[in-house]
Amino acid sequence: MTTVEPHKLGTLLIQQGALQPEQLSELLAQQADDPQRLGQLALKARWIDEAQLAQALALQYGWDTSDLKGLSPHDLPVEGFPADILAEGQFLPLTSSAQGWTVATADPTRITQLDDLERRLGAPLTVLVAPENRLKALFAKTIGHRQMLQEVSEDLKLQLVRETDEGEELLALDDLGTDSSPVIRLIDSTLLDALNKRASDIHIEATVDSVIIKYRVDGVLFRATDPLDKRYQDQIISRIKVMSELDIAERRIPQDGRFKVRIGQKPIDFRVSIMPSISGEEAVIRILDKQHLADEFKGLNLDSLGIHPREVALLRGAIREPYGMILVTGPTGSGKTTTLYAALSEIDHESEKVITIEDPVEYQVQGVTHVPVNEAKGLSFARGLRSILRHDPDKIMVGEIRDPETAQIAIQSALTGHLVLTTVHANNVFDVLGRFLHMGIEPKNFVSSLNCVAAQRLVRRLCSQCKKPITHSAEELVAAGLNPDNYRNITFFTQVGCDACNGIGFHGRDAIVELLILNDQLRELIAVQAPIGQLKKAALEHNTVFLREAAVAKWVAGDTTLEEINRITFVEQEG
C-alpha cells in the first residue's frame, strides 16, 4: 500500500481551527520533556477532541476518515481476518470484498504493520482513520462476538471454576459434556457479550419453532441475537446444566444452580434457574461480576444513587439513629440492597460493629462482617440473626425478611438497642405495613421499632452523549395524569442511541424513593390499623413525596423520559 508524504500534524490542526498557534508552541515545548506524541498531548490538555485528531491524522497521511457510527459487531467481517491482529485492538475490519479489505485505525503511523496485514490478507487494503474512543468502544463489543472465540488468545478464553473442600479447581469448558463445539462457542460468546453490554441477566426463551436469547440491561430486556434454530434448544440447556452441576436427565421440574467462570484473572459468578415450559426448558442466568461491583462500590454512598437530596438528608439522619428499624421495599431488581450498602458505607466501622446476613452476599465492605445464608446446611435468616445478636453488634443488615420468625427477631433486635436495616418485597410504603401485620406481628411492637420506610424504584438515565430535546403534546401530558399548564417552557429530552450507550439511548439508572419517616401520629394510625387513605393524608401533611412525584421530578430535570416514568410508576392525576 502507498501513502503520501505526511505534513506536520500541528500545522494541520491549526488549519482546521482545532488548535491555536500559541497552544502549538506550548505543546512543542512540552515535548522536550515528555516523549508523548503531539496529538496525545493536545488530547490530554483537552484542546482538541478525538474526532479532530482523527481528521488531522487522515489529512496528514492522505486517507479518509470514518466515525464508525451505526456499526455493530455483527456488521464486521471478522471471518478470515487474523484473530491475533483483531485481539491487539489496532485494526478493525469494516468491509471485505473481492476488491480488497477496508480497515479502521486510530494510528496511521503503523505503516509496517499495515503492510504486513495486507500481505497476510492477500488483498489490497484501504485504511480509514477513526476516533480512538469510538474504535475502542466497537472493539469492546466485538470481543464478545462468537467468531472471535474460535481463534482469540487464551487470555480471553473462559475457564470454569469448581469450588472444592481443598480450594478451587479449574475445568476446561471444552472437556465438559458432549455438546457440539458450535453450542460451546455460543454459550461462551453469550456470556462474554452480556458482560460487555453491562447485562444483569441472560434469558434463554423457547418458542414453538426457535430459541431466543435476551439480555436485561438497566432493567429492560433486549434481544441479543436473531432467533436460533429450535434443534439447538436441548443442547443449550444441557450445556448450562453441565456447567451448573444440575441433572441433565430431569426436565419436568425447575432446577436452580450456580457456576463460576474465570476470564483471564477475573472471576465472575453466575446464578442459574432452569424452568420447564410447554415449548421446552428455559433458562435465566443472573450475572454477579463481583470485581466490577467492588470497583463501583469504592465510591458508593447515598449521594451517588441519584436520589433527591431531600430524601438523602432524611435517610442519612435515619441511619445515624442509635436503634430502630429502617425498611427498604420494592420489587426484585429495584436496587434495595444497593441502597442499604450505600447506607452502610457511611457508617464509621471503627467505632461500631456492623454485621450483615444475606442470601447471597453480593458485595463486601471493608470493616463489615458478612454472613451468607446456607439453607442446605441449616443456616437460615432467623438462625443466623440469633447468632449475630450474640456478637454484640451495633448495626445489623438483614438481606430480606421472608417469614414471621425472621420478622419477629428483627423487630425485637430493633427494640433492644440495635439499628436494623432490611428489605421486604412490597409495592409502596403502605403495603409494607400490611405485609408485616399479615405475618402476625403485633402492631404496637412493629410501629415502636420502625424509624422509616423507603419504597424504591430504578429509573433509566438518558445517555448524556446522545439525548435530544423533544416536545410533548398536551394530549400526551393529560394521558400521563399531568396538567400541561404546569410544564410550559420546560425542555424535555428523549433517547437516541450512540456508541457510548450501545445504541440504547440510556446509560445507567437512578433511584427514586418514597420515604415515610415515622412520627407519633403515624405510629398511632398504624397501630389501630387505620385505612390507607387516612395514612396517605397524614403522610402528605408531613411532606412525604410519593414515587410518582419523585419520577416526575427526574423527567422535568431532563434525566429521563416520560415513557420511562410511566413504565415504572402508576399514572396518577395531579392534584
Side-chain angles (χ1 to χ4, degrees):
M1 63 179 298
T2 60
T3 63
V4 299
E5 183 67 25
H7 301 282
K8 293 288 187 180
L9 180 65
T11 303
L12 292 171
L13 287 168
I14 291 175
Q15 289 174 358
Q16 285 179 230
L19 207 62
Q20 299 300 316
E22 57 271 18
Q23 292 175 326
L24 177 59
S25 299
E26 186 174 333
L27 291 173
L28 291 171
Q30 286 182 33
Q31 275 193 308
D33 301 318
D34 191 334
Q36 288 190 71
R37 295 178 182 176
L38 185 84
Q40 295 303 315
L41 289 173
L43 283 175
K44 190 176 180 181
R46 297 188 177 180
W47 288 339
I48 64 171
D49 59 30
E50 304 270 3
Q52 289 171 322
L53 177 58
Q55 187 177 356
L57 286 169
L59 285 171
Q60 186 183 24
Y61 285 85
W63 292 334
D64 291 327
T65 60
S66 172
D67 60 13
L68 303 179
K69 287 184 177 178
L71 289 176
S72 75
H74 300 286
D75 300 323
L76 305 179
V78 293
E79 286 193 48
F81 197 82
D84 58 328
I85 299 293
L86 200 58
E88 287 177 5
Q90 296 291 338
F91 305 111
L92 188 70
L94 301 182
T95 63
S96 173
S97 68
Q99 286 71 43
W101 289 74
T102 301
V103 301
T105 183
D107 184 5
T109 66
R110 297 168 63 92
I111 303 298
T112 303
Q113 291 88 336
L114 284 166
D115 287 338
D116 179 60
L117 177 59
E118 191 171 55
R119 283 193 298 272
R120 291 179 64 177
L121 291 171
L125 203 61
T126 301
V127 182
L128 302 179
V129 184
E132 187 174 18
N133 55 345
R134 292 180 184 169
L135 193 70
K136 285 182 176 179
L138 197 51
F139 263 121
K141 298 180 200 175
T142 307
I143 288 173
H145 194 269
R146 123 181 25 166
Q147 182 63 31
M148 282 276 298
L149 290 167
Q150 295 181 2
E151 300 174 308
V152 81
S153 64
E154 287 299 320
D155 289 341
L156 291 177
K157 287 296 179 91
L158 302 182
Q159 292 179 304
L160 189 67
V161 179
R162 184 167 295 166
E163 295 178 345
T164 66
D165 293 338
E166 290 75 29
E168 292 184 344
E169 176 188 2
L170 287 180
L171 300 173
L173 285 175
D174 294 342
D175 295 336
L176 291 176
T178 59
D179 296 328
S180 61
S181 58
V183 172
I184 293 173
R185 292 197 300 272
L186 172 64
I187 299 299
D188 287 4
S189 65
T190 298
L191 297 178
L192 279 174
D193 194 35
L195 288 167
N196 289 328
K197 287 184 168 63
R198 304 183 298 108
S200 60
D201 303 87
I202 302 168
H203 290 241
I204 299 172
E205 300 177 353
T207 67
V208 175
D209 57 2
S210 64
V211 180
I212 298 173
I213 299 177
K214 297 179 180 178
Y215 300 150
R216 188 177 295 280
V217 181
D218 291 334
V220 177
L221 281 175
F222 294 93
R223 186 173 291 189
T225 63
D226 293 331
L228 304 172
D229 195 293
K230 181 74 172 179
R231 71 176 185 268
Y232 290 115
Q233 180 182 354
D234 289 343
Q235 297 178 50
I236 290 170
I237 297 299
S238 294
R239 182 68 180 170
I240 295 169
K241 285 182 177 179
V242 168
M243 294 170 69
S244 309
E245 299 184 84
L246 299 177
D247 185 354
I248 296 177
E250 181 56 73
R251 299 182 178 181
R252 297 163 298 177
I253 62 173
Q255 296 188 66
D256 294 321
R258 63 183 63 197
F259 63 91
K260 179 184 287 188
V261 158
R262 185 171 293 163
I263 303 174
Q265 297 301 312
K266 182 180 181 181
I268 300 170
D269 292 306
F270 297 86
R271 282 190 287 170
V272 175
S273 177
I274 308 288
M275 183 175 65
S277 74
I278 60 172
S279 299
E281 288 182 295
E282 299 189 355
V284 174
I285 304 172
R286 167 66 59 88
I287 301 172
L288 296 173
D289 188 348
K290 293 184 179 180
Q291 183 173 318
H292 174 70
L293 291 170
D295 293 340
E296 283 191 345
F297 271 57
K298 285 178 182 175
L300 182 69
N301 55 44
L302 291 173
D303 292 318
S304 66
L305 300 179
I307 301 173
H308 194 283
R310 174 189 58 245
E311 272 70 38
V312 169
L314 292 171
L315 271 174
R316 201 164 266 144
I319 65 173
R320 289 171 182 160
E321 296 291 343
Y323 56 86
M325 180 182 287
I326 296 172
L327 273 176
V328 182
T329 186
T332 301
S334 60
K336 301 184 296 294
T337 303
T338 304
T339 297
L340 291 184
Y341 268 97
L344 289 181
S345 70
E346 300 199 2
I347 294 172
D348 182 358
H349 301 136
E350 289 295 322
S351 61
E352 294 184 296
K353 177 79 168 181
V354 182
I355 305 179
T356 77
I357 179 165
E358 306 162 73
D359 182 23
V361 175
E362 295 188 12
Y363 321 118
Q364 295 184 36
V365 178
Q366 190 70 26
V368 174
T369 301
H370 299 279
V371 179
V373 166
N374 190 335
E375 297 281 0
K377 300 293 185 181
L379 179 55
S380 63
F381 273 111
R383 185 173 181 180
L385 194 48
R386 288 195 193 93
S387 297
I388 285 172
L389 292 174
R390 292 193 285 271
H391 279 251
D392 189 28
D394 295 289
K395 292 179 169 61
I396 304 167
M397 180 183 130
V398 182
E400 182 185 347
I401 290 182
R402 300 174 178 172
D403 55 75
E405 186 180 9
T406 306
Q408 191 67 55
I409 299 170
I411 289 169
Q412 290 300 321
S413 303
L415 290 172
T416 54
H418 306 90
L419 185 70
V420 179
L421 299 89
T422 188
T423 74
V424 67
H425 286 283
N427 288 325
N428 56 52
V429 293
F430 303 107
D431 287 348
V432 169
L433 309 176
R435 182 81 188 273
F436 272 82
L437 297 180
H438 288 151
M439 286 185 186
I441 303 300
E442 172 61 40
K444 289 186 178 179
N445 283 342
F446 178 52
V447 297
S448 298
S449 69
L450 199 57
N451 292 352
C452 71
V453 184
Q456 180 170 311
R457 299 290 188 278
L458 293 177
V459 58
R460 289 188 295 169
R461 186 171 58 246
L462 280 167
C463 174
S464 60
Q465 303 294 317
C466 65
K467 68 179 183 179
K468 69 175 183 180
I470 189 176
T471 300
H472 292 292
S473 66
E475 291 76 15
E476 286 180 291
L477 298 179
V478 170
L482 305 169
N483 184 348
D485 294 334
N486 296 338
Y487 301 96
R488 301 188 188 278
N489 303 318
I490 296 176
T491 301
F492 301 109
F493 292 89
T494 190
Q495 73 273 26
V496 178
C498 66
D499 292 338
C501 59
N502 286 317
I504 296 172
F506 296 91
H507 195 283
R509 290 185 286 180
D510 287 337
I512 57 170
V513 168
E514 175 180 291
L515 186 61
L516 184 68
I517 302 292
L518 273 291
N519 55 33
D520 290 341
Q521 180 190 3
L522 283 169
R523 285 192 173 95
E524 289 174 8
L525 290 172
I526 296 168
V528 298
Q529 300 184 40
I532 295 296
Q534 194 173 346
L535 288 172
K536 282 188 174 181
K537 183 179 178 181
L540 281 172
E541 290 173 357
H542 290 88
N543 302 316
T544 297
V545 175
F546 296 135
L547 279 171
R548 181 64 176 179
E549 296 173 71
V552 169
K554 283 285 180 189
W555 168 62
V556 169
D559 296 331
T560 191
T561 66
L562 181 61
E563 294 78 14
E564 180 69 3
I565 67 169
N566 287 341
R567 183 181 69 86
I568 63 166
T569 60
F570 285 107
V571 171
E572 298 176 357
Q573 297 298 320
E574 286 189 334

